[in-house]
């Protein structure tokens, strides 16, 4: 009978295995509870941080000023910098990105006035370039001078271009009224003039200027046309300018003479294809060296509009980066301000911290609350600063020629950096608060 009883207990022993295995789901069930408690602790800490900051609205607002100024400055500087780059690009494109500019004078010489510019370029140089360089589409020879234009009792100081018929296409000008110069006007030294839109408005107001006589430096000129609006490029207001035949300009207005031919101050050369700019520049330089019999230093300067646009873009980009770096200093200052205020807050709330730790709050809870307060201050300052910066960009775009752009990347970066600054500078006071001994804190209170 004993053998049978012993064998009977085997199923009872095996029966315990399912009970032991049944404990596993209970153990695993604790994980969601732990995560839930963490979330609830975070929400509670967030609420307490918000209530503390709202209880001291004035101090919180003053603390955020540094972050507001920093974010607004960074966003505004980046937007204005993009606007400056677009503006410079538009200025260069208005002259044409496929244009070479040849000016008289040694490349490294100091800039002289137009009237005293060296007489090393002549109209024949432009004609030779047009006929001998295959990739050249057109050449405009120009002789410029600033003169007084008179009509009746009205006097206007204006930039006068003495040029040839190719000027219209090479320089991308358009006619609003009348006609442009012809070869006959240049050959016969005709005393005719085409006015810029702004100059025509100043002299004639609402009357039709065509056929009227104006005086350019006491030389009577007949108005044969008016340009469409061109705008300003690199400080030159083309709408306040006028165009006359180059021979008339040289003989009757500036009295410029050269033993080699009709002297000019510059040659504008349009190239058929932008991809041929470098080759065309090389050919133009070699041709002018042969014509001027140059063996040492050039007596002319060739500028590539494409290179000029790249140079101006890099300069404006560098200035934008510098201004943004300077503006970012205010973010650092704002972060230091947050740290100072939080340290003051720790000393003021010593009793509160002692009570919380006495009833069971851990160092982690205290640390977390103070860090949340610092991040809320910096992030709120970043959001307000973003609004201020965007508003500044819109004002600049409406009241200046700079079409400043709103960069989502700059906004996201500024707000993220401000939050990171708050987190970084909030750690020190938060750790100081978390390390307070509850007994010492209660005694000091």
């Amino acid at each position: 009978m004993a053998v049978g009883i012993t064998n009977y207990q085997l199923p009872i022993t095996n029966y315990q295995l399912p009970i032991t295995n049944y404990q596993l789901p209970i153990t695993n069930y604790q994980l969601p509870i732990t995560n839930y408690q963490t979330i609830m602790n975070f929400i509670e800490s967030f609420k307490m941080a918000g209530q503390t900051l709202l209880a001291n609205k004035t101090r919180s607002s003053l603390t955020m000023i540094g972050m507001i100024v920093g974010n607004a400055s960074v966003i505004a500087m980046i937007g204005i910098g993009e606007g400056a780059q677009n503006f410079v690009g538009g200025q260069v494109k208005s002259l044409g990105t496929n244009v070479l500019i040849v000016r008289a004078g040694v490349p490294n010489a100091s800039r002289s006035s137009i009237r005293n510019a060296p007489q090393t370029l002549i109209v024949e140089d432009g004609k030779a370039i047009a006929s001998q360089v295959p990739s050249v589409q057109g050449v405009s020879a120009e002789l410029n001078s600033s003169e007084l234009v008179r009509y009746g009792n009205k006097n206007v100081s204006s930039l006068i271009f003495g040029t040839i018929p190719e000027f219209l296409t090479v320089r991308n000008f358009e006619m609003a009224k009348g006609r442009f110069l012809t070869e006959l006007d240049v050959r016969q030294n005709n005393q005719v003039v085409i006015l810029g839109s702004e100059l025509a408005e100043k002299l004639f107001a609402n009357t039709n200027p065509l056929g009227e006589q104006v005086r350019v430096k006491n030389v009577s000129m007949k108005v044969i046309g008016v340009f469409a609006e061109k705008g300003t490029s690199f400080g030159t207001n083309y709408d306040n300018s006028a165009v006359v035949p180059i021979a008339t300009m040289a003989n009757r207005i500036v009295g410029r003479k050269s033993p080699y031919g009709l002297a000019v101050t510059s040659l504008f050369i349009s190239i058929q294809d932008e991809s041929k700019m470098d080759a065309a520049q090389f050919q133009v330089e070699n041709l002018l060296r042969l014509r001027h019999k140059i063996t040492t230093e050039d007596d002319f300067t060739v500028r590539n509009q494409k290179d000029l646009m790249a140079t101006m873009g890099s300069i404006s980009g560098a200035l934008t980066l510098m201004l943004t770096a300077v503006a970012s200093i205010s973010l650092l200052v704002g972060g230091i301000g947050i740290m100072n205020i939080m340290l003051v807050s720790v000393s003021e709330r010593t009793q509160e911290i002692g009570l919380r730790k006495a009833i069971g709050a851990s160092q982690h809870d205290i640390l977390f609350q103070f860090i949340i307060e610092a991040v809320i201050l910096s992030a709120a300052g970043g959001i307000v600063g973003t609004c201020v910066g965007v508003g500044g960009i819109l004002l600049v775009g409406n009241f200046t020629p700079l079409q400043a752009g709103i960069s989502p990347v700059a906004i996201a970066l500024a707000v993220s950096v401000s939050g990171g600054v708050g987190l970084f500078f909030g750690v020190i006071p938060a750790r100081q608060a978390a390390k307070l001994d509850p007994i010492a804190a209660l005694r000091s209170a």
Side-chain angles (χ1 to χ4, degrees), residues 148-391:
L148 201 63
V149 182
R150 298 184 180 91
Y151 177 74
N153 61 352
K154 298 178 181 179
N155 301 323
V156 180
S157 179
S158 174
L159 180 62
I160 311 299
F161 293 90
T163 187
I164 59 179
E166 287 77 9
F167 175 91
L168 191 66
T169 55
V170 173
R171 299 294 300 273
N172 294 323
F173 275 70
E174 295 180 359
M175 299 297 299
K177 297 179 181 178
R179 67 174 179 86
F180 193 63
L181 301 176
T182 63
E183 291 290 347
L184 186 63
D185 292 324
V186 176
R187 287 199 306 268
Q188 294 183 351
N189 293 348
N190 288 344
Q191 295 175 205
V192 293
V193 62
I194 297 96
L195 304 177
S197 58
E198 184 179 323
L199 179 59
E201 178 68 22
K202 290 178 179 179
L203 294 175
F204 296 95
N206 296 324
T207 60
N208 187 1
L210 297 182
E212 298 292 336
Q213 295 287 330
V214 299
R215 298 188 70 83
V216 180
K217 196 184 177 182
N218 296 323
V219 178
S220 180
M221 297 275 187
K222 180 182 178 181
V223 179
I224 62 172
V226 177
F227 287 119
E229 290 187 7
K230 178 68 173 177
T232 302
S233 179
F234 294 105
T236 301
N237 184 2
Y238 291 104
D239 292 335
N240 192 47
S241 63
V243 169
V244 301
I246 192 168
T248 306
M249 181 76 169
N251 298 328
R252 299 183 180 230
I253 298 178
V254 299
R256 189 176 178 89
K257 296 181 180 179
S258 171
Y260 307 106
L262 185 56
V264 299
T265 53
S266 58
L267 298 172
F268 280 74
I269 307 168
S270 64
I271 310 301
Q272 296 174 357
D273 190 349
E274 288 187 21
S275 62
K276 300 179 181 179
M277 289 288 290
D278 294 336
Q281 181 174 345
F282 177 77
Q283 293 169 357
V284 167
E285 290 173 347
N286 284 340
L287 178 59
L288 290 178
R289 291 189 186 107
L290 289 174
R291 287 183 56 82
H292 295 186
K293 299 179 181 179
I294 294 174
T295 57
T296 56
E297 190 174 20
D298 293 340
D299 59 1
F300 60 89
T301 304
V302 181
R303 293 182 179 177
N304 188 326
Q305 287 292 91
K306 192 175 181 181
D307 294 340
L308 177 62
M309 185 165 64
T311 301
M312 295 300 292
S314 62
I315 292 174
S316 60
L319 289 175
T320 301
L321 182 61
M322 182 188 70
L323 292 174
T324 303
V326 172
S328 300
I329 295 176
S330 57
L331 286 176
L332 178 63
V333 174
I336 295 174
I338 289 176
M339 182 176 67
N340 290 336
I341 294 299
M342 295 301 295
L343 287 172
V344 172
S345 178
V346 170
S347 62
E348 290 180 350
R349 295 158 62 186
T350 302
Q351 184 178 16
E352 173 195 335
I353 296 169
L355 286 173
R356 289 192 62 193
K357 297 190 75 172
I359 62 176
S362 64
Q363 288 190 3
H364 175 77
D365 295 331
I366 305 298
L367 177 71
F368 201 52
Q369 180 184 348
F370 276 83
I371 288 178
I372 289 177
E373 290 181 18
V375 172
I376 289 176
L377 285 174
S378 58
I383 293 171
V384 176
T386 298
C387 297
V388 174
V390 170

